[in-house]
Structure formats: structure tokens, C-alpha cells
């Protein structure tokens, strides 16, 4: 069997003295979509931040493409091919849509994603390319945040709560683009509170509960009862 693209091995993460992750492990194959679900405060965003280099784990390893990147600075993690779509989108309000996208390409990694490719994926961004990013609707801002991450030509895309605060029709529209993204050879990790959407999009699911992996398995094999028990800790 080939080695996974990403192997998170028993990481612990802390905010000061508060421990947020307890021995969390996760594996992502090339071209795979993995969903991480769980209630608020379960540690989902912390896990993505640890992988992206924003919150170095205190213990454990994060092996990406054969290299241990645990503790590496975020700019080095991006150069290796990991990009994060952060919760809340975090666009630069003083910049235009196109300027936000161009910032994502500063790593100069080679690959298929360019302004033209992003505009083909999200045509509404092309129409509004010269407008301030703050003028976009919530769904359009999420598309811009995804486009900015793709501009770094990653091999692994981390998406943190991409449906949060968005209308269901907008969420379906965004998820409908996922096959085009994966079709370019990317692996994707989605942090999602919408369990139905997560199970529909991913082949593998991890459920976190109070900073620990409470359940993992193939999406098609997990029953609603097992997910509920892991999600709520009952």
C-alpha cells in the first residue's frame, strides 16, 4: 500500500495550559475527501490549525508527503503544498477580490490553478474581480477564500466550516464544485458541522469529541446512531 499523503499521528495541542487535542490521529490518501465532524469546541479547527502550521502540536507527528511538518512555520507548510480555508473566510477587507486571490499565489508553486482557472470555477468572482472583497455576499466571500487557497496550488486543501452561516442553496452550490477541485488531484479535509453534507461529500469521516477521536470510518459504513453517540458523547 502506498503511504498516505498526510498522516497525523497522536498529536496533542494546547492553548496555554488548556489541552485542546488528546492524541489525535488522522490519515488522508491522495485524491481523498475526508470529513472531520463534531460539536462546537470538539477540537476540529485546532486540528486544522495544527496541520497548517498555525498551532504547533506539543507532542506527536504530522507527516505530509514523507516530511514531518509538525512545528514548521505556516509559510513553509504552504510551500510544501498545504493550504487552509480558515473559518470566517478572513479575506483582506482593503483589497479587491482579484488582489485577495493573487495573494494566495505568492508561494509560486507550479500547478493548474491560476486566476483564469479560479474564475472558471467561480464565474461570479470574475464578474466582481475589481470590487472590494467586503462587497461580496457571504457565499461569494467563501468562494473567494477557497479560490485564494487554491491559488497556492496545494496538494492538500483544508476547509474549516465552509458552510457556516450560509444559506442551504449556497452551501450546495459550493459543494457542487468539490469534484472539480478533487479532479485536479487534490486531497481535501473538510471540517463540517452539517453531518449530512459531510457524509455526502467525504469517503472517510472522523468525529471529534472533547479533543479526542470518538469515531472514524468509511462514510458509507457509519450509521446515524453511531455518529450521534460519538458526536454527543452518549
Amino acid at each position: 500500500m502506498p503511504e498516505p499523503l498526510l498522516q497525523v499521528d497522536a498529536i496533542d495541542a494546547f492553548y496555554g495550559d488548556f489541552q485542546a487535542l488528546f492524541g489525535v490521529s488522522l490519515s488522508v490518501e491522495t485524491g481523498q475527501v475526508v470529513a472531520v465532524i463534531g460539536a462546537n469546541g470538539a477540537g476540529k479547527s485546532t486540528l486544522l490549525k495544527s496541520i497548517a502550521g498555525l498551532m504547533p502540536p506539543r507532542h506527536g507527528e504530522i507527516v505530509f508527503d514523507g516530511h514531518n511538518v509538525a512545528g514548521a512555520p505556516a509559510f513553509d507548510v504552504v510551500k510544501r503544498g498545504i493550504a487552509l480555508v480558515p473559518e470566517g473566510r478572513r479575506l483582506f477587507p482593503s483589497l479587491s477580490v482579484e488582489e485577495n486571490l493573487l495573494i494566495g499565489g505568492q508561494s509560486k508553486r507550479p500547478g493548474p490553478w491560476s486566476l483564469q482557472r479560479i474564475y472558471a470555477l467561480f464565474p461570479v468572482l470574475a464578474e466582481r474581480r475589481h470590487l472590494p472583497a467586503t462587497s461580496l455576499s457571504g457565499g461569494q466571500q467563501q468562494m473567494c477564500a477557497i479560490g485564494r487557497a487554491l491559488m497556492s496550488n496545494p496538494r492538500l486543501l483544508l476547509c474549516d466550516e465552509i458552510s457556516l452561516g450560509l444559506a442551504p442553496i449556497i452551501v450546495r452550490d459550493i459543494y457542487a464544485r468539490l469534484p472539480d477541485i478533487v479532479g485536479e488531484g487534490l486531497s481535501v479535509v473538510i471540517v463540517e458541522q452539517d453531518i449530512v453534507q459531510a457524509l455526502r461529500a467525504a469517503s472517510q469521516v472522523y468525529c471529534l469529541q472533547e479533543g479526542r477521536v470518538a469515531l472514524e470510518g468509511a462514510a458509507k459504513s457509519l450509521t446515524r446512531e453511531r455518529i450521534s453517540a460519538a458526536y454527543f458523547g452518549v
Side-chain angles (χ1 to χ4, degrees), residues 17 22 37 39 58 77-78 89 108 117 122 125 140 145 172 184 198 201 205 224 232:
D17 293 330
F22 298 80
I37 62 175
R58 193 169 294 182
V77 173
V78 171
R89 302 178 280 274
K108 307 297 184 184
R117 183 70 181 84
F122 298 120
L125 298 183
Q140 292 164 359
R172 288 195 295 271
E184 294 289 358
V205 177
R224 185 178 298 273
F232 296 108

Side-chain angles (χ1 to χ4, degrees), residues 123-147:
V124 68
L125 298 183
E127 298 169 9
R128 291 162 170 76
R129 68 177 73 183
H130 299 306
L131 296 178
T134 51
S135 71
L136 301 178
S137 68
Q140 292 164 359
Q141 288 187 31
Q142 190 63 276
M143 293 174 187
C144 188
I146 294 170

Side-chain angles (χ1 to χ4, degrees), residues 28 74 81 96 108-109 112-113 127 132 181 191 196 211:
V28 182
S96 70
K108 307 297 184 184
R109 279 179 54 84
W113 295 101
E127 298 169 9
I181 294 172
V191 157
V196 174

Side-chain angles (χ1 to χ4, degrees), residues 52-134:
L54 298 173
M55 188 174 177
R58 193 169 294 182
H59 304 107
E61 291 188 337
I62 300 172
V63 178
F64 176 72
D65 196 22
H67 301 277
N68 185 12
V69 298
F75 66 84
D76 187 49
V77 173
V78 171
K79 288 181 179 180
R80 287 191 178 276
I82 298 177
L84 172 66
V85 181
E87 181 181 355
R89 302 178 280 274
R90 302 293 184 89
L91 298 178
F92 295 97
S94 63
L95 301 181
S96 70
V97 171
E98 187 160 295
E99 287 168 338
N100 268 277
L101 294 174
L102 288 172
I103 282 178
Q106 293 303 303
S107 65
K108 307 297 184 184
R109 279 179 54 84
W113 295 101
S114 62
L115 278 176
Q116 290 69 32
R117 183 70 181 84
I118 298 300
Y119 290 148
L121 184 67
F122 298 120
V124 68
L125 298 183
E127 298 169 9
R128 291 162 170 76
R129 68 177 73 183
H130 299 306
L131 296 178
T134 51

Side-chain angles (χ1 to χ4, degrees), residues 89 137-140 142 161-171 174:
R89 302 178 280 274
S137 68
Q140 292 164 359
Q142 190 63 276
E161 301 283 14
I162 59 176
S163 67
L164 188 64
L166 301 181
I169 189 171
I170 301 299
V171 174
I174 291 175

